[in-house]
Amino acid sequence: MAAVTLVDLTRSPRGFCAEKRVGEFRASTGDGSQERVFFIANPESSAGTGGFPRSSIREMFIGFGDSPRVLCESSLSAALYSFKRAIDEEGVSNVKVVTSSSGRGLFRVYQELLFTSAYEFEYSVVFDEPSCERRPPGPRAPDAERELSAFLQHLPALKGDVAILRSSLISDRFDHGFSTRAGGISYISTLSSLNLFCNPRRKDSRAVVNENLRRLGLKAGFHPQHFNLIKCNHASDVWVMGKPAPDSYDGMVTNQVGVVIAAPGADCMPLLFTDPVAKVIGVAHAGWKGTLMGIAMATVNAMVSEFGSRPADIVCVIGPSVGPCCFTLERDSAREFHAIHPDCVRHMDSSRPYVDIRLATRILLARGGIKAEHMEDIRIPDQSESTLCTSCHPELFFSHVRDGPNFGTQIGFVWIK
C-alpha cells in the first residue's frame, strides 16, 4: 500500500537544526527513501535572517527520487491541513511520521483532531534532543483544538452558500430544516462540501464536520452546543430525551424548548415529526431496514406515550432520500415492501426490484393514524412537482447509492422555539 513520509522540523526553527535533522533522517533511511517525502517547518524557517530557505532544505534531499514538498504554513494546523489535502489528492492513507520524542506526542494530538481511522500512522523517533535544543512542550489537546478550529473557520465555503430546505407544513412554533451539500469546507469529492457526519471509516475528520455544523447553525439559527444527532443503527430504538440514552437509536423525541434534534440521511430518510398541540418533536433515521422494522411509527408512539401527543395532531415531513428510480433490493427484501403495498415495488419479478421507501413510510404512518394531509415529501421551493431523489441530484445531495462507501451525509433538524 502506498505511503508517504512526513518529516517534522517544527521543533527546530534554526537553520543548523533543520540541517542536522535532515542529516539524521537521511542517515536513518540509508540515504534514500521509498516513499514520497513531505516535511513541516516553522514559518520562520522559510526565509529571512536566521531562517533557512526552502530551496536549501530541498537541496539536502538531492538523490531521494521524488522532490520533497516543503510545508511552511502560519501554524501547525495549517501545515497539517495542507498535508492532508495533498495525500487525499494522491489517494494515500498510510503515513510515516519522523519526529522527536516530544514531537510524537504533539503530532498524535493533531492526528486525532484532523484524521480518522481511515488513515494509518506510524511514528519513528529519529531525532535526538540534546538538552540545549529541547523546547517547551507543544500545545495541549484543548489548545490544539482551538488553534485548528480558528484555522478552519477562515477557510472559504465550497459549492456556494449554505442552503436549507423547509416545509410550510410545519408550524411556526418550531424551527426546522433539511441541509443540502453546499456551503461547507469538506473538499473530498464525495464528501464535498457540507458533510455533517464523521464516520471513522471515511476521510472527513471530526474537526471539519464540526466546522460544517457551525456554519449550518449560523444559517439556521441554532448553536452547535444545543445540537443532538441520532446514533443510528438501522433499527427501531427511540431515545426519549431526559431518560438514559441507548448505545444506538434511530429515533429521538423531546418536549424541551431550544434543544435541536437531528437525523442523518444519505439515501436513508431523515424524518421530522412535530405536534403543535402538545408542543412535542421527534426525528427518525429511516433506511430500508428501519422502515421495515417500524422506526417511523416507533417515533410516533414515543411521542404519544411519553408526552401525550395524538397521532391525528402529528405532522411528518420526509426529507431528501433515494427514490424508486434508483433504489433496488434483493427480491426477498423487496417482497417485504410489496407486502406493505404492491405500489411500493416496481418490477417485482426482476432479480433486483425497485423499491419506494418513502411511499412505504407514508402508508405505515397512515395506518398508525397520521393524516394524509399531515405528511409531505420535502420539495425544492417553486418546484412543486420536483422529486428529491438524492442519487439523481449530485449538485444538491450526498448519496451512498451513487458515491460509494466514502459518502457524505445531510441532515434534517428541528427544535421547539
Side-chain angles (χ1 to χ4, degrees):
M1 186 178 293
V4 297
T5 297
L6 180 65
V7 184
D8 170 26
L9 304 182
T10 61
R11 310 288 285 172
S12 299
R14 300 183 301 279
F16 75 88
C17 290
E19 185 172 16
K20 179 177 181 293
R21 287 203 164 179
V22 171
E24 291 171 350
F25 172 66
R26 296 194 66 149
S28 71
T29 60
D31 206 34
S33 177
Q34 298 301 312
E35 294 87 25
R36 185 175 178 199
V37 177
F38 291 75
F39 63 90
I40 295 181
N42 287 329
E44 60 264 37
S45 298
S46 59
T49 304
F52 208 73
R54 301 185 194 195
S55 59
S56 297
I57 298 178
R58 288 194 185 100
E59 289 173 3
M60 300 176 194
F61 285 90
I62 293 175
F64 261 63
D66 289 341
S67 176
R69 178 168 171 180
V70 182
L71 300 173
C72 203
E73 306 287 351
S74 59
S75 66
L76 187 53
S77 292
L80 285 171
Y81 187 81
S82 295
F83 171 73
K84 184 178 184 295
R85 290 202 66 156
I87 66 172
D88 285 339
E89 289 171 3
E90 298 176 12
V92 176
S93 55
N94 282 36
V95 181
K96 297 180 180 179
V97 180
V98 179
T99 183
S100 62
S101 56
S102 60
R104 177 173 54 187
L106 176 59
F107 272 71
R108 280 178 170 163
V109 168
Y110 282 94
Q111 176 193 336
E112 181 70 21
L113 292 171
L114 197 51
F115 295 84
T116 69
S117 57
Y119 302 83
E120 293 185 12
F121 279 74
E122 174 187 337
Y123 288 86
S124 178
V125 176
V126 170
F127 306 139
D128 55 4
E129 292 182 308
S131 59
C132 63
E133 293 185 17
R134 285 178 186 157
R135 296 165 61 82
R140 294 173 295 129
D143 300 322
E145 189 166 7
R146 281 191 292 270
E147 179 197 277
L148 179 58
S149 177
F151 167 74
L152 295 177
Q153 286 183 27
H154 287 88
L155 292 178
L158 303 175
K159 296 185 182 294
D161 297 328
V162 172
I164 298 172
L165 301 176
R166 291 186 170 92
S167 169
S168 60
L169 203 60
I170 293 182
S171 162
D172 60 8
R173 293 187 176 190
F174 312 98
D175 214 333
H176 75 286
F178 296 92
S179 67
T180 68
R181 69 182 300 171
I185 62 169
S186 304
Y187 56 79
I188 296 172
S189 60
T190 55
L191 299 170
S192 178
S193 67
L194 194 71
N195 173 40
L196 292 166
F197 186 72
C198 180
N199 185 312
R201 297 185 300 275
R202 302 176 208 162
K203 292 191 171 183
D204 241 4
S205 70
R206 175 170 54 88
V208 167
V209 170
N210 285 346
E211 173 56 19
N212 287 341
L213 178 63
R214 187 191 70 85
R215 296 184 185 207
L216 175 66
L218 284 176
K219 179 76 172 184
F222 67 80
H223 194 285
Q225 183 178 347
H226 304 138
F227 180 82
N228 300 270
L229 185 66
I230 279 173
K231 298 179 180 179
C232 52
N233 192 35
H234 298 276
S236 59
D237 293 318
V238 179
W239 178 34
V240 179
M241 294 191 75
K243 294 187 174 182
D247 291 336
S248 60
Y249 45 92
D250 286 77
M252 182 165 29
V253 297
T254 187
N255 64 351
Q256 298 178 36
V257 174
V259 174
V260 183
I261 58 175
D267 297 330
C268 296
M269 296 172 288
L271 306 178
L272 303 186
F273 298 90
T274 58
D275 176 359
V277 178
K279 291 195 73 173
V280 181
I281 55 175
V283 295
H285 162 265
W288 71 267
K289 292 181 181 179
T291 299
L292 292 176
M293 295 179 72
I295 182 58
M297 276 309 302
T299 306
V300 169
N301 291 337
M303 295 171 69
V304 171
S305 63
E306 298 292 334
F307 302 112
S309 291
R310 296 188 310 152
D313 296 328
I314 294 174
V315 168
C316 176
V317 179
I318 301 174
S321 59
V322 69
C325 48
C326 297
F327 184 59
T328 66
L329 284 173
E330 296 289 342
R331 189 183 300 170
D332 286 346
S333 298
R335 191 173 286 115
E336 296 186 63
F337 282 91
H338 191 271
I340 294 172
H341 195 283
D343 289 349
C344 295
V345 182
R346 302 176 185 177
H347 310 297
M348 187 63 228
D349 293 334
S350 68
S351 60
R352 290 192 65 89
Y354 288 82
V355 174
D356 191 337
I357 59 175
R358 291 195 291 248
L359 176 58
T361 296
R362 289 196 300 273
I363 290 171
L364 293 172
L365 287 171
R367 291 174 184 171
I370 306 299
K371 296 179 179 179
E373 61 269 26
H374 286 178
M375 291 184 278
E376 179 185 68
D377 285 5
I378 194 69
R379 305 283 184 176
I380 298 174
D382 304 320
Q383 296 184 31
S384 59
E385 298 304 316
S386 63
T387 300
L388 292 187
C389 171
T390 46
S391 182
C392 286
H393 292 277
E395 76 286 358
L396 285 175
F397 304 114
F398 302 108
S399 169
H400 183 198
V401 168
R402 183 189 65 236
D403 296 333
N406 197 35
F407 61 95
T409 301
Q410 49 263 338
I411 64 168
F413 57 92
V414 63
W415 73 91
I416 304 170
K417 291 182 180 178

